[in-house]
Amino acid sequence: MGELVGCYLMPHPPIIVHEVGRGEERKIQKTIDSLENISQEIKQKWPDTVIVITPHGYVFKDAVSITTLPFLEGDLSQFGAREVKFKFENDLDLAREIVEETSKRNIPIVEVSEELIKKYVLPKKLDHGTIVPLYFVTKQYPDFKLIHMSYGFLPFEKLYEFGVAIKDAINRSSKRVVFIASGDLSHKLTPNSPNGYTPKGEVFDKTLLQLLSEMKVEEILKMDEDLIEEAAECGFRSVCVMLGVLDGYEVRANVLSHEGPFGVGYGVAKFDVTGYKGTSLLERFSAEEDPYVKLAKESLEYYVKYGRPMPVPEGLPEEMYKRKAGVFVTLHKKGELRGCIGTVVPQKKNVAEEIIRNAISAGFEDPRFPPVREEELPEIEYSVDVLMPPQPVKSKDELDPKRYGVIVRKGFRAGLLLPDIEGVDTVEEQLSIALRKAGIRPDEDYTIEKFEVERHEQRVF
């Protein structure tokens, strides 16, 4: 059985390499000392394989990547130090295990092969995000195989799950493995930063490093995305993957240093694995996941993969087999609506079948959106509204857009709006939207019904 022997957060400023900095690197001596400390520690752990996840490799918008070339090589010639060059053997066996585990979890992963590089004219050399940390490691311990990977711009929790897939692959192997999360912190840390300045840069750096020191994983995954974006960092997603690699372990975290005299934050931290707790964050959230939401998610993913509706699974709560009700399934992607279809009155024999059907419809039949593509699935968030029987309304005073949905009718025309929709704060706004959906003019003689819903929303880390 393989073993994760250590995880590290390491920055990658080329100036820290003496052959590039030529004396300027002394301005970040604390960072150098910390990296040398880590490198000596790695030597004592004698890993078979070092995995580096870098922000400057093959970064895709909707997928993570792993390089499958037999050898991985590169230099710092673009920074005036051609003599700093490395060549590593790729641990292809473990790389394939990682691809397999990642694919099992429906996380998009690109294998960067010789063919892919030629086809898309990609650079073949290792990036500085990989070379700079390994510059220090190899001074102490050069005898290892390398795995080179990059994160994608997937949701943070999906990057965390990618880390869990890496962990599982390591455990299935026979290798002793060190994992390095390469990344700098805020690039807007001081007024002399070449990227501009914001006081939120310091807030981001201090917040992240404090949460890491306390291993508050859930709080890290739920960090304010606006703060992360304003900080102009490049290491946060590497950290998300690293935390997934550490999923389920007892971890002793130690932030060794943090400095930023050039306007970019350089944080160095180590994470010692002291044992396995036997409980994982993903397992806990899976156990807590709402069965209505989970069924909607599984339904759409199954349809995308196989092109047919999934059968009703076993093991659902009994009420989902016995209950009949109208159901709306709503899809969001990055906070924006991606599809919403439902039934006011039940069309199937139970709620489970209703959810399965309407999840597919939300993904493929909402005329406002194109069909959901497989590569989008990791970014889709789901909510399921089970409708209570509608009741006639005699006066608008009986309405409340936060509590009640509305149905407006005139002859064969009807329009429905769910309750508690962001941006719909008044009865007038709610009715206006419902009337437009039905094609009913406000001055027509229409009827109004109201209904409550039982809302099931996706648990976000």
Side-chain angles (χ1 to χ4, degrees), residues 43-86:
K43 177 182 180 181
Q44 295 169 1
K45 295 178 183 292
W46 42 275
D48 303 299
T49 302
V50 172
I51 300 175
V52 178
I53 186 159
T54 169
H56 299 294
Y58 305 105
V59 178
F60 298 91
K61 179 181 178 182
D62 53 5
V64 297
S65 73
I66 188 166
T67 308
T68 54
L69 302 173
F71 292 94
L72 303 166
E73 53 188 314
D75 57 49
L76 293 181
S77 57
Q78 69 182 109
F79 301 100
R82 185 178 297 275
E83 67 273 26
V84 179
K85 56 185 178 180
F86 298 99

Side-chain angles (χ1 to χ4, degrees), residues 81 106 147 191 201 224 248 458:
N106 291 319
I147 290 180
D224 184 349
Q458 190 163 356

Side-chain angles (χ1 to χ4, degrees), residues 24 30 32 44 97 113 130 186 213 252 259 278 310 331 340 359 365 370 409 417 438 458:
E24 284 294 295
K30 289 181 182 178
I32 292 173
Q44 295 169 1
E97 292 278 3
S113 62
T130 302
S186 174
S213 70
R252 185 171 58 249
E259 53 188 344
M310 67 182 285
L331 313 178
C340 180
E365 297 171 14
R409 300 183 193 271
L417 198 66
Q458 190 163 356

Side-chain angles (χ1 to χ4, degrees), residues 5-178:
V5 296
C7 275
Y8 304 92
L9 170 63
M10 301 174 72
H12 52 244
I15 198 171
I16 204 171
V17 173
H18 175 69
E19 290 84 347
V20 177
R22 304 184 187 280
E24 284 294 295
E25 72 276 8
R26 287 194 291 268
K27 294 179 180 178
I28 44 175
Q29 189 62 45
K30 289 181 182 178
T31 303
I32 292 173
D33 293 343
S34 296
L35 293 177
E36 289 179 343
N37 177 298
I38 282 175
S39 299
Q40 290 168 4
E41 185 174 291
I42 290 174
K43 177 182 180 181
Q44 295 169 1
K45 295 178 183 292
W46 42 275
D48 303 299
T49 302
V50 172
I51 300 175
V52 178
I53 186 159
T54 169
H56 299 294
Y58 305 105
V59 178
F60 298 91
K61 179 181 178 182
D62 53 5
V64 297
S65 73
I66 188 166
T67 308
T68 54
L69 302 173
F71 292 94
L72 303 166
E73 53 188 314
D75 57 49
L76 293 181
S77 57
Q78 69 182 109
F79 301 100
R82 185 178 297 275
E83 67 273 26
V84 179
K85 56 185 178 180
F86 298 99
K87 182 175 182 178
F88 302 94
E89 184 180 352
N90 196 344
D91 189 342
L92 291 173
D93 291 337
L94 182 53
R96 292 189 186 100
E97 292 278 3
I98 291 171
V99 171
E100 182 180 337
E101 289 291 339
T102 303
S103 300
K104 280 182 188 177
R105 295 175 177 273
N106 291 319
I107 300 171
I109 183 167
V110 175
E111 295 183 56
V112 182
S113 62
E114 192 81 52
E115 294 73 23
L116 192 76
I117 287 173
K118 288 180 180 177
K119 182 177 180 180
Y120 294 103
V121 197
L122 300 174
K124 195 172 180 180
K125 286 184 176 182
L126 286 173
D127 58 287
H128 72 276
T130 302
I131 291 176
V132 171
L134 295 183
Y135 170 85
F136 291 91
V137 174
T138 53
K139 282 185 174 182
Q140 299 293 329
Y141 183 76
D143 190 20
F144 58 84
K145 292 183 179 181
L146 177 65
I147 290 180
H148 173 262
M149 57 176 59
S150 294
Y151 57 65
F153 287 92
L154 301 175
F156 300 149
E157 61 268 23
K158 273 295 172 185
L159 294 175
Y160 182 92
E161 190 171 2
F162 174 48
V164 175
I166 297 168
K167 177 197 72 172
D168 290 345
I170 292 170
N171 289 339
R172 282 176 51 185
S173 75
S174 59
K175 310 293 177 64
R176 293 174 58 83
V177 178
V178 158

Side-chain angles (χ1 to χ4, degrees), residues 225-287:
E225 293 192 34
D226 290 336
L227 173 62
I228 296 168
E229 185 175 351
E230 286 192 49
E233 52 67 48
C234 72
F236 185 80
R237 289 170 176 81
S238 292
V239 167
C240 290
V241 178
M242 179 191 69
L243 292 173
V245 174
L246 292 167
D247 178 82
Y249 285 103
E250 294 175 354
V251 178
R252 185 171 58 249
N254 185 7
V255 175
L256 301 180
S257 63
H258 174 244
E259 53 188 344
F262 305 119
V264 179
Y266 306 129
V268 184
K270 65 176 185 175
F271 304 85
D272 296 323
V273 174
T274 59
Y276 194 73
K277 294 182 290 188
T279 58
S280 115
L281 186 65
L282 280 184
E283 289 169 355
R284 180 155 59 83
F285 277 115
S286 178

